[in-house]
mmCIF file of all heavy atoms in Angstrom:
data_model
loop_
_atom_site.group_PDB
_atom_site.id
_atom_site.type_symbol
_atom_site.label_atom_id
_atom_site.label_comp_id
_atom_site.label_asym_id
_atom_site.label_seq_id
_atom_site.Cartn_x
_atom_site.Cartn_y
_atom_site.Cartn_z
ATOM 1 N N PHE A 285 -5.253 -12.151 2.999
ATOM 2 C CA PHE A 285 -3.951 -11.860 2.391
ATOM 3 C C PHE A 285 -3.917 -12.348 0.939
ATOM 4 O O PHE A 285 -3.465 -11.623 0.042
ATOM 5 C CB PHE A 285 -2.840 -12.538 3.206
ATOM 6 C CG PHE A 285 -1.447 -12.229 2.740
ATOM 7 C CD1 PHE A 285 -0.780 -11.115 3.211
ATOM 8 C CD2 PHE A 285 -0.802 -13.060 1.826
ATOM 9 C CE1 PHE A 285 0.515 -10.822 2.780
ATOM 10 C CE2 PHE A 285 0.489 -12.785 1.402
ATOM 11 C CZ PHE A 285 1.155 -11.660 1.878
ATOM 12 N N LYS A 286 -4.428 -13.551 0.704
ATOM 13 C CA LYS A 286 -4.433 -14.120 -0.643
ATOM 14 C C LYS A 286 -5.296 -13.293 -1.590
ATOM 15 O O LYS A 286 -4.928 -13.066 -2.755
ATOM 16 C CB LYS A 286 -4.927 -15.572 -0.603
ATOM 17 C CG LYS A 286 -3.931 -16.558 -0.012
ATOM 18 C CD LYS A 286 -4.498 -17.965 0.011
ATOM 19 C CE LYS A 286 -3.482 -18.963 0.565
ATOM 20 N NZ LYS A 286 -4.052 -20.339 0.640
ATOM 21 N N GLU A 287 -6.455 -12.858 -1.096
ATOM 22 C CA GLU A 287 -7.347 -12.045 -1.923
ATOM 23 C C GLU A 287 -6.680 -10.737 -2.324
ATOM 24 O O GLU A 287 -6.791 -10.295 -3.473
ATOM 25 C CB GLU A 287 -8.649 -11.760 -1.162
ATOM 26 C CG GLU A 287 -9.559 -12.971 -1.013
ATOM 27 C CD GLU A 287 -10.795 -12.660 -0.183
ATOM 28 O OE1 GLU A 287 -11.080 -11.464 0.045
ATOM 29 O OE2 GLU A 287 -11.482 -13.618 0.246
ATOM 30 N N ARG A 288 -5.989 -10.122 -1.378
ATOM 31 C CA ARG A 288 -5.311 -8.864 -1.667
ATOM 32 C C ARG A 288 -4.110 -9.088 -2.595
ATOM 33 O O ARG A 288 -3.812 -8.262 -3.453
ATOM 34 C CB ARG A 288 -4.862 -8.195 -0.368
ATOM 35 C CG ARG A 288 -6.029 -7.757 0.508
ATOM 36 C CD ARG A 288 -5.558 -7.058 1.766
ATOM 37 N NE ARG A 288 -6.682 -6.623 2.595
ATOM 38 C CZ ARG A 288 -6.564 -5.911 3.703
ATOM 39 N NH1 ARG A 288 -5.368 -5.553 4.119
ATOM 40 N NH2 ARG A 288 -7.626 -5.559 4.388
ATOM 41 N N LYS A 289 -3.443 -10.218 -2.421
ATOM 42 C CA LYS A 289 -2.281 -10.521 -3.266
ATOM 43 C C LYS A 289 -2.699 -10.738 -4.720
ATOM 44 O O LYS A 289 -1.953 -10.398 -5.653
ATOM 45 C CB LYS A 289 -1.550 -11.757 -2.737
ATOM 46 C CG LYS A 289 -0.163 -11.954 -3.343
ATOM 47 C CD LYS A 289 0.545 -13.162 -2.755
ATOM 48 C CE LYS A 289 0.039 -14.438 -3.395
ATOM 49 N NZ LYS A 289 0.838 -15.626 -3.047
ATOM 50 N N GLU A 290 -3.901 -11.299 -4.913
ATOM 51 C CA GLU A 290 -4.404 -11.527 -6.270
ATOM 52 C C GLU A 290 -4.579 -10.216 -7.037
ATOM 53 O O GLU A 290 -4.528 -10.189 -8.271
ATOM 54 C CB GLU A 290 -5.754 -12.268 -6.207
ATOM 55 C CG GLU A 290 -5.648 -13.729 -5.796
ATOM 56 C CD GLU A 290 -4.868 -14.558 -6.804
ATOM 57 O OE1 GLU A 290 -5.076 -14.379 -8.021
ATOM 58 O OE2 GLU A 290 -4.020 -15.375 -6.366
ATOM 59 N N LEU A 291 -4.786 -9.138 -6.309
ATOM 60 C CA LEU A 291 -4.998 -7.830 -6.928
ATOM 61 C C LEU A 291 -3.693 -7.045 -7.070
ATOM 62 O O LEU A 291 -3.706 -5.887 -7.508
ATOM 63 C CB LEU A 291 -5.995 -7.012 -6.100
ATOM 64 C CG LEU A 291 -7.391 -7.633 -5.911
ATOM 65 C CD1 LEU A 291 -8.214 -6.792 -4.944
ATOM 66 C CD2 LEU A 291 -8.100 -7.774 -7.252
ATOM 67 N N ALA A 292 -2.585 -7.679 -6.691
ATOM 68 C CA ALA A 292 -1.282 -6.994 -6.706
ATOM 69 C C ALA A 292 -0.421 -7.495 -7.855
ATOM 70 O O ALA A 292 -0.708 -8.521 -8.482
ATOM 71 C CB ALA A 292 -0.570 -7.223 -5.379
ATOM 72 N N ASN A 293 0.654 -6.782 -8.127
ATOM 73 C CA ASN A 293 1.597 -7.160 -9.183
ATOM 74 C C ASN A 293 2.916 -7.611 -8.571
ATOM 75 O O ASN A 293 3.497 -6.902 -7.749
ATOM 76 C CB ASN A 293 1.849 -5.976 -10.110
ATOM 77 C CG ASN A 293 0.591 -5.536 -10.833
ATOM 78 O OD1 ASN A 293 -0.095 -6.346 -11.443
ATOM 79 N ND2 ASN A 293 0.285 -4.246 -10.756
ATOM 80 N N LYS A 294 3.380 -8.771 -9.000
ATOM 81 C CA LYS A 294 4.643 -9.299 -8.502
ATOM 82 C C LYS A 294 5.810 -8.617 -9.200
ATOM 83 O O LYS A 294 5.807 -8.437 -10.418
ATOM 84 C CB LYS A 294 4.715 -10.810 -8.729
ATOM 85 C CG LYS A 294 5.946 -11.468 -8.122
ATOM 86 C CD LYS A 294 5.922 -12.976 -8.350
ATOM 87 C CE LYS A 294 7.147 -13.642 -7.737
ATOM 88 N NZ LYS A 294 7.144 -15.110 -7.967
ATOM 89 N N ILE A 295 6.817 -8.216 -8.422
ATOM 90 C CA ILE A 295 7.995 -7.542 -8.987
ATOM 91 C C ILE A 295 8.947 -8.592 -9.562
ATOM 92 O O ILE A 295 9.299 -9.565 -8.893
ATOM 93 C CB ILE A 295 8.732 -6.718 -7.920
ATOM 94 C CG1 ILE A 295 7.835 -5.609 -7.371
ATOM 95 C CG2 ILE A 295 9.990 -6.096 -8.519
ATOM 96 C CD1 ILE A 295 8.511 -4.752 -6.336
ATOM 97 N N ASP A 296 9.345 -8.371 -10.789
ATOM 98 C CA ASP A 296 10.345 -9.228 -11.429
ATOM 99 C C ASP A 296 11.728 -8.603 -11.230
ATOM 100 O O ASP A 296 11.919 -7.409 -11.479
ATOM 101 C CB ASP A 296 10.043 -9.358 -12.924
ATOM 102 C CG ASP A 296 11.076 -10.201 -13.654
ATOM 103 O OD1 ASP A 296 11.034 -11.434 -13.519
ATOM 104 O OD2 ASP A 296 11.933 -9.598 -14.338
ATOM 105 N N LEU A 297 12.684 -9.394 -10.782
ATOM 106 C CA LEU A 297 14.018 -8.876 -10.474
ATOM 107 C C LEU A 297 14.669 -8.219 -11.691
ATOM 108 O O LEU A 297 15.224 -7.114 -11.592
ATOM 109 C CB LEU A 297 14.911 -10.003 -9.937
ATOM 110 C CG LEU A 297 16.384 -9.620 -9.694
ATOM 111 C CD1 LEU A 297 16.505 -8.466 -8.711
ATOM 112 C CD2 LEU A 297 17.166 -10.832 -9.205
ATOM 113 N N GLU A 298 14.609 -8.888 -12.851
ATOM 114 C CA GLU A 298 15.258 -8.342 -14.050
ATOM 115 C C GLU A 298 14.654 -7.004 -14.443
ATOM 116 O O GLU A 298 15.370 -6.061 -14.803
ATOM 117 C CB GLU A 298 15.145 -9.345 -15.208
ATOM 118 C CG GLU A 298 15.920 -10.629 -14.987
ATOM 119 C CD GLU A 298 17.401 -10.374 -14.719
ATOM 120 O OE1 GLU A 298 17.984 -9.519 -15.416
ATOM 121 O OE2 GLU A 298 17.964 -11.028 -13.829
ATOM 122 N N ASP A 299 13.327 -6.901 -14.357
ATOM 123 C CA ASP A 299 12.668 -5.628 -14.676
ATOM 124 C C ASP A 299 13.066 -4.549 -13.678
ATOM 125 O O ASP A 299 13.293 -3.391 -14.060
ATOM 126 C CB ASP A 299 11.149 -5.802 -14.671
ATOM 127 C CG ASP A 299 10.659 -6.631 -15.851
ATOM 128 O OD1 ASP A 299 11.411 -6.754 -16.834
ATOM 129 O OD2 ASP A 299 9.527 -7.157 -15.774
ATOM 130 N N PHE A 300 13.148 -4.936 -12.412
ATOM 131 C CA PHE A 300 13.470 -3.951 -11.376
ATOM 132 C C PHE A 300 14.896 -3.441 -11.531
ATOM 133 O O PHE A 300 15.174 -2.259 -11.286
ATOM 134 C CB PHE A 300 13.268 -4.563 -9.988
ATOM 135 C CG PHE A 300 13.349 -3.559 -8.866
ATOM 136 C CD1 PHE A 300 12.306 -2.677 -8.628
ATOM 137 C CD2 PHE A 300 14.479 -3.481 -8.077
ATOM 138 C CE1 PHE A 300 12.393 -1.730 -7.611
ATOM 139 C CE2 PHE A 300 14.580 -2.545 -7.055
ATOM 140 C CZ PHE A 300 13.524 -1.669 -6.820
ATOM 141 N N LEU A 301 15.801 -4.300 -11.969
ATOM 142 C CA LEU A 301 17.194 -3.895 -12.154
ATOM 143 C C LEU A 301 17.331 -2.853 -13.265
ATOM 144 O O LEU A 301 18.312 -2.096 -13.305
ATOM 145 C CB LEU A 301 18.064 -5.115 -12.469
ATOM 146 C CG LEU A 301 18.285 -6.114 -11.321
ATOM 147 C CD1 LEU A 301 19.065 -7.321 -11.826
ATOM 148 C CD2 LEU A 301 18.996 -5.461 -10.152
ATOM 149 N N ASN A 302 16.360 -2.818 -14.165
ATOM 150 C CA ASN A 302 16.418 -1.890 -15.292
ATOM 151 C C ASN A 302 15.739 -0.545 -15.013
ATOM 152 O O ASN A 302 15.526 0.241 -15.946
ATOM 153 C CB ASN A 302 15.765 -2.531 -16.530
ATOM 154 C CG ASN A 302 16.588 -3.689 -17.073
ATOM 155 O OD1 ASN A 302 17.816 -3.657 -17.033
ATOM 156 N ND2 ASN A 302 15.912 -4.717 -17.558
ATOM 157 N N ARG A 303 15.413 -0.286 -13.743
ATOM 158 C CA ARG A 303 14.796 1.000 -13.426
ATOM 159 C C ARG A 303 15.787 2.129 -13.705
ATOM 160 O O ARG A 303 16.998 1.908 -13.752
ATOM 161 C CB ARG A 303 14.319 1.024 -11.972
ATOM 162 C CG ARG A 303 15.403 0.975 -10.920
ATOM 163 C CD ARG A 303 14.814 0.573 -9.562
ATOM 164 N NE ARG A 303 15.764 0.663 -8.465
ATOM 165 C CZ ARG A 303 16.713 -0.231 -8.229
ATOM 166 N NH1 ARG A 303 16.866 -1.269 -9.034
ATOM 167 N NH2 ARG A 303 17.513 -0.082 -7.191
ATOM 168 N N SER A 304 15.269 3.328 -13.838
ATOM 169 C CA SER A 304 16.086 4.468 -14.261
ATOM 170 C C SER A 304 17.096 4.889 -13.190
ATOM 171 O O SER A 304 16.923 4.601 -11.997
ATOM 172 C CB SER A 304 15.185 5.657 -14.593
ATOM 173 O OG SER A 304 14.557 6.138 -13.411
ATOM 174 N N ASN A 305 18.126 5.588 -13.632
ATOM 175 C CA ASN A 305 19.123 6.119 -12.699
ATOM 176 C C ASN A 305 18.499 7.158 -11.762
ATOM 177 O O ASN A 305 18.910 7.283 -10.605
ATOM 178 C CB ASN A 305 20.287 6.751 -13.472
ATOM 179 C CG ASN A 305 21.166 5.709 -14.133
ATOM 180 O OD1 ASN A 305 21.330 4.610 -13.608
ATOM 181 N ND2 ASN A 305 21.727 6.055 -15.290
ATOM 182 N N LYS A 306 17.535 7.897 -12.278
ATOM 183 C CA LYS A 306 16.826 8.872 -11.444
ATOM 184 C C LYS A 306 16.131 8.161 -10.281
ATOM 185 O O LYS A 306 16.191 8.607 -9.132
ATOM 186 C CB LYS A 306 15.806 9.642 -12.280
ATOM 187 C CG LYS A 306 14.991 10.636 -11.472
ATOM 188 C CD LYS A 306 13.922 11.315 -12.339
ATOM 189 C CE LYS A 306 13.049 12.229 -11.486
ATOM 190 N NZ LYS A 306 11.967 12.865 -12.297
ATOM 191 N N GLN A 307 15.468 7.039 -10.606
ATOM 192 C CA GLN A 307 14.780 6.256 -9.572
ATOM 193 C C GLN A 307 15.780 5.759 -8.530
ATOM 194 O O GLN A 307 15.541 5.850 -7.322
ATOM 195 C CB GLN A 307 14.064 5.068 -10.224
ATOM 196 C CG GLN A 307 13.479 4.046 -9.252
ATOM 197 C CD GLN A 307 12.116 4.424 -8.718
ATOM 198 O OE1 GLN A 307 11.518 5.379 -9.183
ATOM 199 N NE2 GLN A 307 11.643 3.687 -7.739
ATOM 200 N N LYS A 308 16.902 5.248 -8.986
ATOM 201 C CA LYS A 308 17.914 4.731 -8.063
ATOM 202 C C LYS A 308 18.460 5.840 -7.155
ATOM 203 O O LYS A 308 18.695 5.615 -5.966
ATOM 204 C CB LYS A 308 19.056 4.084 -8.849
ATOM 205 C CG LYS A 308 18.666 2.826 -9.600
ATOM 206 C CD LYS A 308 19.829 2.301 -10.430
ATOM 207 C CE LYS A 308 19.416 1.068 -11.229
ATOM 208 N NZ LYS A 308 20.519 0.570 -12.098
ATOM 209 N N THR A 309 18.664 7.012 -7.725
ATOM 210 C CA THR A 309 19.172 8.143 -6.937
ATOM 211 C C THR A 309 18.175 8.565 -5.870
ATOM 212 O O THR A 309 18.541 8.793 -4.705
ATOM 213 C CB THR A 309 19.480 9.344 -7.857
ATOM 214 O OG1 THR A 309 20.439 8.945 -8.835
ATOM 215 C CG2 THR A 309 20.028 10.508 -7.056
ATOM 216 N N LEU A 310 16.909 8.652 -6.254
ATOM 217 C CA LEU A 310 15.855 9.024 -5.293
ATOM 218 C C LEU A 310 15.740 7.985 -4.181
ATOM 219 O O LEU A 310 15.516 8.324 -3.017
ATOM 220 C CB LEU A 310 14.517 9.189 -6.012
ATOM 221 C CG LEU A 310 14.409 10.408 -6.928
ATOM 222 C CD1 LEU A 310 13.115 10.349 -7.753
ATOM 223 C CD2 LEU A 310 14.447 11.697 -6.111
#
C-alpha cells in the first residue's frame, strides 16, 4: 500500500474546491 501511495498524488482540499462547474455538474 505504501509503495503504491508513493506513486500517487494527494488531493488538496483548496485545489479540489476550485474545480470547474462542468466537473461539479458531471
Side-chain angles (χ1 to χ4, degrees):
F285 184 87
K286 287 179 178 178
E287 288 177 14
R288 294 182 179 185
K289 194 178 80 170
E290 288 296 317
L291 301 174
N293 297 309
K294 185 178 180 181
I295 298 181
D296 178 76
L297 175 58
E298 294 303 317
D299 290 341
F300 190 75
L301 290 175
N302 291 325
R303 67 197 187 283
S304 67
N305 288 327
K306 178 184 176 182
Q307 171 83 9
K308 293 176 182 177
T309 302
L310 290 171

